[in-house]
Amino acid sequence: KSKMLGVIQRRLVRKSLDAFADLQKNSTEYDEFWKNFGKYIKVGAVEEQGDVQKDLAKLCRFYSTKSGDEQTTFAEYIERMPVNATKILYLSGDSREQALNSPVIQRLIKTDYEVLLLPEALDEIVCQAIGEVDGKKLVDASKDDLKDVFQDDDDDEDNGDFEELCSWLKLQLE
């Protein structure tokens, strides 16, 4: 591969990314673009590295617990995050409905913490490949302990719920 072809390729990629970013400013046009080419943008976010991967990640859209039937970008998600939040949470499933009904997500919804819903296998691969967006780590909500998300919860309250059960179990085991 010649050096000149490499330069041409980099310039074409940069021009394309700039055009996609401009297109993203018009939501109606970008919605149509995303329906037709969204999977290819996601594949590019998985396969590319460095700045190109970051730029492709900014173009990606996902469903979330707060977006309803619309999709959201990482930038929109980050705008809605709590001030001290350091993680972008996601949860995969066979469908949005299945992910929403997951026991993992119910507590997060109660605490008003937004979670990306990933109904396609490619979505989860994208999140794993990107790893981090604007200093916020992408984390699978079903695999993380989420201690920092629920740091305001009082653990003593939870222990009190099981005292009666523990005493009953001790009686049964004696």
Side-chain angles (χ1 to χ4, degrees):
K1 184 171 161 179
S2 76
K3 187 176 180 180
M4 185 56 92
L5 284 176
V7 170
I8 292 170
Q9 179 185 8
R10 283 191 297 279
R11 286 188 180 167
L12 279 174
V13 168
R14 177 55 37 213
K15 289 284 188 186
S16 298
L17 289 172
D18 291 343
F20 298 155
D22 287 343
L23 185 63
Q24 193 176 29
K25 294 173 185 172
N26 181 338
S27 66
T28 308
E29 288 181 20
Y30 193 72
D31 286 345
E32 190 62 32
F33 172 81
W34 184 254
K35 285 178 193 171
N36 293 318
F37 300 104
K39 285 187 179 184
Y40 303 108
I41 299 291
K42 289 178 181 179
V43 169
V46 171
E47 292 180 350
E48 292 295 330
Q49 300 293 319
D51 290 340
V52 173
Q53 184 183 48
K54 290 176 185 176
D55 290 341
L56 287 170
K58 291 176 184 175
L59 297 171
C60 288
R61 290 184 167 191
F62 302 95
Y63 292 105
S64 84
T65 54
K66 292 188 179 181
S67 69
D69 290 335
E70 300 295 316
Q71 292 183 316
T72 188
T73 64
F74 286 120
E76 294 165 342
Y77 178 101
I78 290 170
E79 282 179 22
R80 294 187 294 261
M81 286 178 79
V83 178
N84 296 330
T86 60
K87 296 177 181 177
I88 297 174
L89 298 179
Y90 65 87
L91 187 67
S92 58
D94 293 333
S95 67
R96 278 189 297 159
E97 292 76 24
Q98 182 193 25
L100 273 172
N101 292 328
S102 168
V104 172
I105 210 167
Q106 295 305 318
R107 189 170 178 198
L108 291 164
I109 290 173
K110 285 179 185 176
T111 60
D112 201 37
Y113 202 101
E114 186 172 11
V115 180
L116 296 177
L117 305 171
L118 312 179
E120 298 175 21
L122 178 58
D123 293 340
E124 186 173 8
I125 295 168
V126 169
C127 287
Q128 291 170 350
I130 293 169
E132 188 176 292
V133 177
D134 293 338
K136 311 286 186 193
K137 189 174 180 184
L138 285 155
V139 176
D140 186 340
S142 66
K143 296 178 183 169
D144 193 64
D145 62 11
L146 304 175
K147 285 183 180 178
D148 54 335
V149 174
F150 301 118
Q151 63 191 359
D152 297 334
D153 286 1
D154 187 11
D155 291 334
D156 294 338
E157 288 180 22
D158 293 339
N159 292 339
D161 293 342
F162 297 109
E163 282 180 22
E164 189 175 317
L165 176 63
C166 289
S167 61
W168 180 82
L169 281 172
K170 285 179 185 177
L171 286 172
Q172 297 302 315
L173 292 173
E174 289 177 355

